[in-house]
Amino acid sequence: MPTPIWAVFSLIIINKAGGLIYQREFQAGLRKLSTNDYLVLAGTFHGVHAITRSITPKIPISQPAQSTTTSTGTTAPAASGYSYPNPGVPVSGLDYLETDKFRLTCFQTLTGTKFLLFTDPLTGSVDGIIQKIYELYADFVMKNPFYQIEMPVRCEAFDRHLGAWLRGRT
């Protein structure tokens, strides 16, 4: 049985306003981007995510055929309604983007913070990887009394534990 590929290329964290608050590369040999490129990438993804969230299609709801009589004596058809495909599941927007070279997976928290994880396209489910990264973020960034919410993440403990965990997985 072949061993699964776990290559994590890069992680970007975007605040709810679309600002870049964290970026780190994990694989040597990747094309270097400037800080400005990462800022543009974060802002662009934030906008695309918002647009894809707003254009999620709604499907018609089947309602029993009813007709109503108007004040002029004419018969009007019953009003039809629309709903999202999975009414109990919130609309999420762009969840992943895949090419032959990489897969970009987006995890959005309830507060609007987005985690963008760039992995090898052959990597299996990255849900567990993103959940662990989010757990480390919560433990070492959000519980840090000196961290200001929505500001860039500058936490050595987070960097150290994240790097160690990703190295230990390969």
Side-chain angles (χ1 to χ4, degrees):
M1 176 191 268
T3 58
I5 296 173
W6 296 101
V8 173
F9 299 135
S10 183
L11 171 67
I12 295 175
I13 303 176
I14 303 171
N15 66 18
K16 66 181 175 185
L20 178 69
I21 60 172
Y22 184 82
Q23 182 281 318
R24 183 169 172 193
E25 295 174 357
F26 298 100
Q27 295 290 327
L30 292 177
R31 183 173 170 234
K32 291 291 185 189
L33 296 178
S34 70
T35 303
N36 191 50
D37 290 336
Y38 280 111
L39 291 168
V40 170
L41 177 63
T44 302
F45 185 85
H46 179 72
V48 169
H49 189 270
I51 290 168
T52 58
R53 183 177 179 176
S54 68
I55 63 172
T56 298
K58 293 183 179 181
I59 55 174
I61 297 173
S62 302
Q63 294 182 348
Q66 297 176 336
S67 57
T68 57
T69 305
T70 63
S71 60
T72 60
T74 60
T75 303
S80 62
Y82 292 88
S83 176
Y84 291 112
N86 298 319
V89 178
V91 180
S92 65
L94 182 63
D95 289 330
Y96 71 92
L97 176 87
E98 188 170 328
T99 72
D100 59 339
K101 303 290 183 199
F102 70 91
R103 177 187 301 152
L104 164 64
T105 305
C106 176
F107 169 70
Q108 182 173 350
T109 67
L110 293 175
T111 60
T113 302
K114 294 174 196 68
F115 290 75
L116 306 181
L117 189 66
F118 292 83
T119 60
D120 186 283
L122 299 177
T123 300
S125 174
V126 296
D127 293 340
I129 298 170
I130 289 181
Q131 287 298 322
K132 180 63 177 180
I133 291 170
Y134 179 58
E135 182 181 310
L136 292 170
Y137 174 80
D139 285 345
F140 295 102
V141 177
M142 296 308 293
K143 292 178 183 176
N144 181 344
F146 301 107
Y147 176 68
Q148 294 179 357
I149 295 179
E150 303 296 316
M151 297 304 291
V153 174
R154 304 215 193 302
C155 181
E156 289 181 31
F158 175 64
D159 284 334
R160 191 173 54 252
H161 283 86
L162 179 62
W165 182 75
L166 286 172
R167 275 190 308 276
R169 285 184 34 264
T170 58

